[in-house]
């Protein structure tokens, strides 16, 4: 099977050394194999935080670094209807439900429960709105109450049974369906979420190998579950190390001197930037 990889930045800031390394891993894997394809996807579903200027700057930096991509760039904000179809599929099987809880209401509920289960991003949603009746849901929606949609992870897990994914370093990883609990699958302000859009797009774009930072590893458990319920193939994964500075701190978009633009302005050659990224990756624990 010919390898198809992708780089999927969110245009919320400039490309920095860490994300350039991430792009390199996908690009390199595609280019080292005859016929390999490297695709570019702009993950701009968060219309408030994503900016066209950042997208243009990211594409410019990638070109400057010498990373060429195959086909058109896929921009997620142009595919909300596609994610909506996947939501309908899940809705028809009662795998999603509207959640009317405000952040404050969730916090109150969590404070009142002694042993709230925790996920990688903190305490998990306690499932309050999962117990609402169909009529109550209808009434609250009809009354115009703000809501997001949540994925009923327990129900999905009962339907699918065990699942797994393969990571090139970790080998076979058993899926943990409850790792993120009933996560948000469509936000109040956006008719999708990262988890849904990424799963649908990796499927539609025929991605065979997902190369991305190890910080996203918990999400892969959720994506594996979504792939199973939606009847998609699960790609292979290669979660890579995150680049850190000398004190072990992760590079972030706010570190101006770690942006590719700053390195370009400082007169570095593209090759030198890539060598620097690879050296930082080799040094990262
Ligand atoms: N848009 C995500 C990010 O910038 C990509 C994560 C992924 O590759 O799935 O972190």
């Amino acid at each position: 099977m010919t390898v198809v990889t992708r780089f999927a930045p969110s245009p919320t800031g400039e490309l920095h050394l860490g994300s350039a390394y991430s792009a390199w891993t996908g690009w390199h894997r595609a280019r080292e194999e005859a016929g390999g394809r490297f695709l570019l996807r702009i993950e701009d579903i968060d219309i408030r935080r994503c900016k066209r200027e950042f997208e243009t700057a990211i594409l410019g930096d990638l070109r400057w670094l010498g990373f060429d991509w195959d086909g058109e760039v896929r921009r997620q904000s142009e595919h909300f209807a596609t994610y909506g179809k996947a939501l309908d599929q899940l809705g028809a099987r009662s795998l999603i439900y509207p959640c009317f809880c405000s952040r404050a209401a969730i916090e109150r509920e969590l404070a009142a429960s002694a042993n709230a289960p925790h996920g990688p991003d903190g305490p998990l949603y306690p499932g309050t709105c999962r117990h609402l009746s169909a009529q109550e849901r209808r009434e609250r929606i009809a009354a115009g109450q703000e809501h997001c949609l949540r994925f009923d992870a327990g129900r999905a897990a009962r339907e699918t049974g065990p699942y797994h994914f393969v990571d090139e370093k970790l080998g076979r990883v058993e899926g943990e369906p409850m790792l993120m609990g009933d996560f948000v699958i469509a936000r109040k302000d956006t008719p999708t979420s990262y988890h849904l859009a990424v799963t649908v797009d990796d499927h539609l774009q025929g991605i065979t190998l997902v190369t991305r930072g190890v910080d996203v590893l918990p999400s892969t458990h959720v994506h594996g579950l979504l792939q199973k319920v939606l009847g998609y193939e699960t790609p292979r994964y290669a979660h890579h190390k995150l680049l850190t500075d000398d004190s072990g701190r992760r590079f972030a978009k706010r570190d101006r001197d770690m942006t590719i633009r700053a390195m370009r302005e400082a007169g570095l050659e593209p090759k030198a930037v890539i060598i620097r990224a690879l050296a930082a990756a080799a040094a990262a624990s």
Side-chain angles (χ1 to χ4, degrees), residues 6 8-10 43 194 198 211-212 216 253:
R6 47 63 161 196
S10 301
E43 302 210 323
Y194 161 66
V198 84
T211 55
R212 61 184 178 194
V216 195
K253 289 186 178 172

Side-chain angles (χ1 to χ4, degrees), residues 259-274:
T259 62
I260 303 307
R261 175 184 299 226
M263 294 178 198
R264 285 171 77 166
E265 284 168 6
L268 258 72
E269 291 294 322
K271 224 187 204 151
V273 174
I274 293 171

Side-chain angles (χ1 to χ4, degrees), residues 6-12 22 41-43 76 194 198 202 210-213 215-216 223 253:
R6 47 63 161 196
F7 177 53
S10 301
T12 54
S22 200
R41 180 196 309 151
I42 297 294
E43 302 210 323
Q76 289 189 323
Y194 161 66
V198 84
D202 283 341
V210 174
T211 55
R212 61 184 178 194
D215 54 330
V216 195
H223 302 167
K253 289 186 178 172

Side-chain angles (χ1 to χ4, degrees), residues 119-121 163 165 170 173 175-180 183 194-195 212-225 239:
D121 305 322
Y163 63 98
F165 59 89
L170 303 172
V173 180
E176 289 179 45
M178 302 315 291
L179 198 61
M180 294 200 173
F183 60 88
Y194 161 66
H195 296 309
R212 61 184 178 194
V214 71
D215 54 330
V216 195
L217 183 60
S219 298
T220 304
H221 287 266
V222 160
H223 302 167
L225 181 61
H239 294 94

